[in-house]
Each structure stands twice: as structure tokens, then as C-alpha cells.
């Protein structure tokens, strides 16, 4: 008899089942129902679980095995791309255009996908999480023009990436590389990429067994990080050309 995913009760404080109980087919489906209230979202991420809505279904919650992650000291940029960055005037900032970034991620075309999981309800919820200081955006600017970015959730010393986009070639690469460099400098070793795709793999993402990932999430989310608030001052104006040399000693300082 095929096992069904767990049905979440209405109480947003209700616990999720352990991630190890997620289905094998479809891989990682753990629970259905519930809502996007901040208490439930934070509870989910603290346990390595994320929402991934699908039209025509109740809200779906996932914990796939294996998990796609970045070691924050191991994001790769191709040498040709890095050479081009030496002449770049792009600047990377944080939390200056969250709503623009999540809207752009929702509109970005994705190979093999018809439409987007970033529906209006999800966008409203994550904008709310941003206003509470839990969700953050990383923006890449050419002058005053956004050319790429990403957004995600931060808890403790763990960053859970949600989506990224490029308005110009390489925009998302610069966003994730700059984020990883900051996270590494702050002592945050992992960046969650959720589910494998060729773009993430090309940037150095690796697969981690779910049991190991969940143990790391439990440890890292319990560590002291930044208080919930915008990261604009922590990030500063970070020049994309600083990413041209992976060995350069230009690590940002928290609070700088």
C-alpha cells in the first residue's frame, strides 16, 4: 500500500514529521497542507524542510534525499568568466530590492518547467518574512540597473537559498559567489541549494545525504548568527571584480 504524505494540522506551531520520513516517490515529499505563516516557515527551515507549491494541490512540503548544497568556500566560477569580471563595474548589495528580486525570480524562464512555483501567495509570504528580517535578497547592480540576484532564508548560521535569476549573462553567478564569500567570512559553512540542476552543479554544488544535511541544519541553525534585520550594512557595496581572483584576500567583515 502506497504511503501518503503527512497532513499538517491548522496550528502553525504544529511540528513537522522527521525529514527522514519523506516519500521516495516523488522524492522528498513529506507533508501537505498548512500555510505560509512565519512560525510555520521558520519551523520548516529549521528542520531542513521547504515549501514547493504546485497548482491544483494543497501546499506541499519537501525534504529530498540527497540534498544539493554549496560549501561556502567552494563556489566555482569558470576562469574565462572570472577574467571578464576584472573589467566589471557591477556591484553586489543585500536587501535593497527584495520585492524586485523575488518578482524577477518568479518571471524567469526555467528549462523543463511550465510556469513557476513562486505564486502570489508565496511572494506575499516571503516579502513578509523579509520585513521580519528572516528573508534576504542579494542584488547585482550595473549602475542603478538590477542585472541578477537571489533570495533565501537565514537562520542561525545557515542560509537556505530559494531562487535566483539573471537579467544579463552571469548575474546569478555573481550573486551566489558574492553571497558564498560573505557567508564563509562570517563562519557559515553551508548554503542550501535544495534540488540539483545543471546550473548549480556548474557552480560547484554537491550532493549531501539527507541524514548528514539534517544533522548539519540542526547544528548550524542553533548557532548565533545575525539578529533578524536587513543585511545591507553587513554586505556593503561589494565589487564583482573582487570575485575575479578566488585566492584574493578580500574577505568581507561582518558589520562592515
Amino acid at each position: 500500500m502506497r504511503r501518503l504524505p503527512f497532513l499538517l494540522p491548522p496550528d502553525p506551531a504544529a511540528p513537522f514529521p522527521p525529514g527522514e520520513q519523506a516519500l521516495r516517490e516523488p522524492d522528498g515529499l513529506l507533508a501537505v497542507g498548512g500555510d505560509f505563516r512565519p512560525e510555520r516557515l521558520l519551523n520548516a527551515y529549521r528542520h531542513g524542510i521547504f515549501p514547493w507549491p504546485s497548482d491544483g494541490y494543497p501546499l506541499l512540503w519537501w525534504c529530498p534525499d540527497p540534498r544539493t548544497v554549496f560549501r561556502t568556500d567552494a563556489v566555482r566560477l569558470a576562469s574565462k568568466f572570472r577574467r571578464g569580471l576584472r573589467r566589471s563595474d557591477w556591484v553586489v548589495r543585500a536587501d535593497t530590492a527584495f520585492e524586485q528580486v523575488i518578482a524577477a525570480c518568479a518571471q524567469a524562464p526555467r528549462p523543463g518547467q511550465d510556469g513557476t512555483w513562486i505564486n502570489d501567495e508565496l511572494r506575499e509570504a516571503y516579502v513578509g518574512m523579509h520585513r521580519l528580517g528572516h528573508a534576504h535578497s542579494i542584488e547585482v547592480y550595473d549602475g542603478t540597473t538590477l542585472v541578477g540576484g537571489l533570495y533565501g532564508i537565514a537562520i542561525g548560521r545557515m542560509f537556505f537559498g530559494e531562487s535566483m535569476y539573471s537579467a544579463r549573462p552571469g548575474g546569478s553567478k555573481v550573486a551566489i559567489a558574492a553571497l558564498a564569500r560573505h557567508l564563509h567570512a562570517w563562519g557559515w559553512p553551508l548554503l542550501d541549494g535544495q534540488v540539483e540542476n545543471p546550473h548549480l552543479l556548474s557552480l560547484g554544488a554537491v550532493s549531501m545525504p539527507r541524514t548528514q544535511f539534517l544533522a548539519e541544519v540542526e547544528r548550524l541553525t542553533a548557532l548565533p548568527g545575525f539578529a533578524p534585520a536587513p543585511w545591507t550594512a553587513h554586505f556593503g557595496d561589494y565589487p564583482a571584480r573582487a570575485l575575479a581572483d578566488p585566492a584574493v584576500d578580500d574577505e568581507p567583515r561582518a558589520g562592515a
Side-chain angles (χ1 to χ4, degrees):
M1 184 176 185
R2 184 175 180 181
R3 187 162 58 88
L4 297 175
F6 181 80
L7 180 62
L8 290 174
D11 181 4
F16 284 83
E20 293 88 349
Q21 294 182 11
L23 301 181
R24 284 292 176 189
E25 183 58 41
D27 177 42
L29 179 58
L30 177 66
V32 300
D35 50 48
F36 287 116
R37 279 183 280 185
E39 186 174 8
R40 197 186 301 270
L41 284 169
L42 291 172
N43 187 24
Y45 283 102
R46 284 193 185 99
H47 293 89
I49 301 160
F50 60 89
W52 194 353
S54 183
D55 288 344
Y57 292 91
L59 184 54
L60 306 178
W61 301 85
W62 302 79
C63 189
D65 186 21
R67 191 66 160 246
T68 299
V69 300
F70 289 94
R71 302 284 185 183
T72 57
D73 61 350
V75 171
R76 295 195 307 259
L77 296 176
S79 57
K80 181 178 179 180
F81 183 74
R82 284 191 283 108
R83 286 196 298 271
L85 287 179
R86 294 192 180 103
R87 302 182 298 275
S88 176
D89 292 325
W90 290 1
V91 174
V92 190
R93 302 185 178 105
D95 289 334
T96 64
F98 186 91
E99 293 189 45
Q100 289 173 260
V101 168
I102 195 171
C105 287
Q107 296 163 7
R110 304 187 188 278
Q113 293 185 15
D114 182 16
T116 179
W117 74 95
I118 307 174
N119 57 32
D120 290 344
E121 185 180 10
L122 185 148
R123 283 172 59 177
E124 182 179 349
Y126 282 77
V127 168
M129 291 286 281
H130 172 67
R131 290 171 180 161
L132 292 172
H134 301 296
H136 302 281
S137 59
I138 307 300
E139 306 101 11
V140 184
Y141 285 93
D142 181 3
T144 59
T145 302
L146 269 175
V147 297
L150 61 82
Y151 75 95
I153 300 288
I155 303 175
R157 294 189 189 178
M158 182 73 199
F159 192 90
F160 301 90
E162 275 294 312
S163 186
M164 58 185 179
Y165 84 101
S166 295
R168 294 186 194 167
S172 66
K173 294 179 183 180
V174 168
I176 199 165
L179 172 61
R181 186 162 289 189
H182 279 72
L183 294 177
H184 179 61
W186 297 338
W188 300 37
L190 289 182
L191 194 170
D192 179 29
Q194 297 184 347
V195 179
E196 177 183 300
N197 65 50
H199 184 53
L200 298 184
L201 294 178
S202 73
L203 294 170
V206 296
S207 293
M208 179 178 286
R210 180 169 57 205
T211 53
Q212 181 183 355
F213 175 77
L214 294 178
E216 286 291 288
V217 167
E218 182 179 11
R219 179 179 71 88
L220 293 171
T221 57
L223 293 175
F226 296 123
W231 281 4
T232 309
H234 296 306
F235 222 86
D237 284 3
Y238 190 75
R241 61 178 175 272
L243 300 168
D245 183 354
V248 70
D249 184 17
D250 64 348
E251 290 187 341
R253 291 171 292 130

